[in-house]
Amino acid sequence: MNLKITALFCFMLGIQQVSQAQTDSTLYKKVEKIVSEAKQKYAPDKRTKIVALVQADAKNNQYVIESTEAEASQFLIKQLKGLKAKVNIKNLPDTSVSDKIYGVINLSVANMRTQPGNASEMATQSLLGTQVDILQKDRGEYRVRTPEGYISYVPASSVVAMNKQEIADWKANKKLIYTQEFGKSYSQADQKSMRVSDLVYGDILALKGESAAFYQVEYPDKRQAFIPKEEALTFEQWLSSRDLTSENVLASAKTMMGLPYLWGGTSVKGVDCSGFTKTAYYMNGVVIPRDASQQVLAGDKIDILDKDGHFDSEKALKNLKPADLLFFASGKNSNPNARVTHVALYIGNGEFIHAAGTVRINSMLKNAQNYDDFQTRTVVAARRYIGAKDTQIQAVKDNAYYKK
């Protein structure tokens, strides 16, 4: 997933002076069209790959394009050749991060946004100890890519930037994973000592030592702390104890009952609908796509629709299995081909668990007391992840961001 560090690839297409007639919107539209073609071919989902025209000065025929995809950059060079324009292609990661193209999250839960700044929409979250790719630095924030490939912005204070040797040293550490819902680390091997930070389920730290009752740990920024042994496992122990079954996925999901809905949330501090399903699978040692509209493209398709493409409850009850993912479009009478806006985990007997206001259980059966939420949405698809042969559904132990 990492590009060779090229920092800034700059080329000039045409060096002669051009007339005002040649500097109108016609040339801009040509550049825009070529970028759009590259985007569709190499980066159709901007949440995971970037090909973007970020600056356009049509009057002076100057353009800046950003790309995370080497093949897209080569395509652009070829297609733009001959145009009388000056085009800079910035391959990400760029020079703003120097050789610090790796990062490790340094907070219990780091909030990540669609654009720099706390006023921007929250896109997702990452947990302490999670490795990310650093692509760019902008206004005191890093643009990063998470283990599931999601690209967003995070404050520089939330992540420790590392070069190749530093990330290798971090990954070489024996790791510890926090397994309680909420807790804290201590400055001494004493629960009455000062807190170092809060912790949530899934946080990962370097294991530096242990006593009869405490693990000694190190944060990515080298802070030292202590965690009660009954609240954590070594990462190897945790991985070996993961067993991806429907019972285990649903048991993990039910531990989040009552959690508040949080747009962009993917932790026990709060979840959105797809953050909830993502977290339930992560608790069982599996990394899945981030958003509902991405999750619906993974796994094995389950037939739950009638011949006209509308939800068929009898077929659903027959074909669905526990821990399957149900996907919804908003509105009771939505077109079944409408954009996916919601996801839930099927429990069985017509019931499903999902994050909607809070994490709760509803039913697709009209005579059920908890049917109320179902009638406000339309089921448009279902997918089975357990047993699916799909590279988008990956065991944590096989994911490059978690392996040594």
Side-chain angles (χ1 to χ4, degrees):
M1 214 173 242
N2 293 327
L3 295 174
K4 182 178 179 182
I5 307 174
T6 53
L8 176 64
F9 177 78
C10 176
F11 67 96
M12 182 178 287
L13 302 170
I15 57 174
Q16 66 268 45
Q17 294 290 327
V18 293
S19 67
Q20 182 63 38
Q22 292 173 309
T23 61
D24 64 13
S25 61
T26 302
L27 184 57
Y28 165 72
K29 289 179 180 178
K30 288 181 180 179
V31 173
E32 187 180 45
K33 183 175 183 294
I34 291 170
V35 173
S36 179
E37 290 173 356
K39 185 185 302 182
Q40 291 176 16
K41 187 172 184 179
Y42 299 103
D45 188 342
K46 67 180 181 180
R47 294 167 293 187
T48 59
K49 296 179 180 179
I50 297 170
V51 174
L53 179 62
V54 294
Q55 292 180 34
D57 182 351
K59 181 177 181 180
N60 295 302
N61 289 326
Q62 295 180 346
Y63 303 90
V64 178
I65 301 169
E66 289 181 342
S67 172
T68 57
E69 309 306 303
E71 289 184 343
S73 297
Q74 294 303 313
F75 173 87
L76 288 165
I77 292 170
K78 183 178 180 180
Q79 296 299 315
L80 291 165
K81 186 176 181 180
L83 288 185
K84 297 174 182 179
K86 183 178 180 181
V87 183
N88 289 346
I89 296 182
K90 296 175 66 177
N91 289 314
L92 302 178
D94 66 15
T95 54
S96 65
V97 297
S98 186
D99 64 342
K100 304 269 189 175
I101 63 172
Y102 309 96
V104 180
I105 300 300
N106 201 43
L107 298 179
S108 65
V109 179
N111 295 329
M112 310 174 86
R113 301 183 183 276
T114 56
Q115 296 294 329
N118 290 330
S120 299
E121 176 186 355
M122 196 158 89
T124 191
Q125 294 177 319
S126 283
L127 302 179
L128 173 66
T130 301
Q131 181 186 332
V132 295
D133 298 325
I134 297 181
L135 305 175
Q136 198 172 41
K137 192 170 186 180
D138 184 3
R139 288 169 278 174
E141 300 204 9
Y142 287 123
R143 196 180 200 177
V144 302
R145 183 194 286 117
T146 65
E148 62 273 11
Y150 212 81
I151 296 173
S152 51
Y153 289 87
V154 64
S157 58
S158 300
V159 62
V160 176
M162 299 183 182
N163 59 30
K164 186 175 181 179
Q165 184 58 56
E166 290 166 336
I167 194 64
D169 291 343
W170 168 259
K171 295 185 81 165
N173 285 307
K174 189 172 183 178
K175 300 295 196 310
L176 191 78
I177 185 166
Y178 193 72
T179 55
Q180 300 298 299
E181 289 187 36
F182 303 98
K184 55 187 175 181
S185 63
Y186 300 89
S187 58
Q188 303 292 330
D190 181 353
Q191 294 191 46
K192 294 181 180 180
S193 64
M194 185 178 295
R195 177 173 62 185
V196 175
S197 83
D198 71 312
L199 296 170
V200 301
Y201 185 100
D203 284 347
I204 297 171
L205 300 108
L207 177 59
K208 291 299 183 179
E210 61 182 290
S211 62
F214 284 86
Y215 289 116
Q216 182 180 355
V217 298
E218 184 176 87
Y219 285 72
D221 64 358
K222 305 300 184 182
R223 284 175 295 165
Q224 304 291 309
F226 296 84
I227 298 174
K229 277 192 166 181
E230 65 271 17
E231 297 181 10
L233 291 171
T234 68
F235 197 57
E236 291 79 6
Q237 289 174 325
W238 182 78
L239 284 176
S240 65
S241 67
R242 298 305 90 189
D243 184 13
L244 185 61
T245 66
S246 58
E247 293 83 4
N248 287 343
V249 171
L250 291 174
S252 296
K254 289 175 181 177
T255 67
M256 293 182 272
M257 281 288 290
L259 282 184
Y261 182 93
L262 176 64
W263 181 267
T266 63
S267 74
V268 294
K269 289 188 176 182
V271 288
D272 61 20
C273 64
S274 56
F276 166 69
T277 52
K278 176 183 180 297
T279 301
Y281 271 88
Y282 175 76
M283 286 177 168
N284 288 277
V286 177
V287 177
I288 68 173
R290 169 62 183 92
D291 287 346
S293 59
Q294 297 169 318
Q295 292 175 5
V296 74
L297 301 177
D300 295 333
K301 185 177 180 180
I302 304 166
D303 184 11
I304 59 167
L305 305 179
D306 64 21
K307 59 182 178 62
D308 296 319
H310 298 286
F311 177 67
D312 185 327
S313 59
E314 289 186 9
K315 190 178 285 188
L317 287 170
K318 177 182 176 182
N319 294 339
L320 287 169
K321 292 182 179 180
D324 287 343
L325 280 76
L326 284 170
F327 296 93
F328 303 75
S330 60
K332 183 178 179 181
N333 298 309
S334 299
N335 183 324
N337 296 316
R339 184 173 65 89
V340 166
T341 58
H342 190 65
V343 60
L345 284 173
Y346 186 67
I347 296 175
N349 298 318
E351 289 192 322
F352 56 93
I353 182 170
H354 61 147
T358 63
V359 174
R360 54 196 174 97
I361 294 173
N362 283 108
S363 175
M364 62 176 65
L365 304 179
K366 290 183 178 180
N367 59 350
Q369 289 185 344
N370 55 351
Y371 173 74
D372 62 315
D373 188 70
F374 189 77
Q375 63 185 332
T376 66
R377 310 175 194 270
T378 297
V379 178
V380 293
R383 294 292 186 274
R384 182 164 298 143
Y385 281 11
I386 297 175
K389 304 297 182 184
D390 190 328
T391 57
Q392 298 176 88
I393 304 166
Q394 189 176 37
V396 169
K397 63 182 179 62
D398 297 326
N399 186 285
Y401 293 77
Y402 293 98
K403 293 197 301 186
K404 285 190 176 181

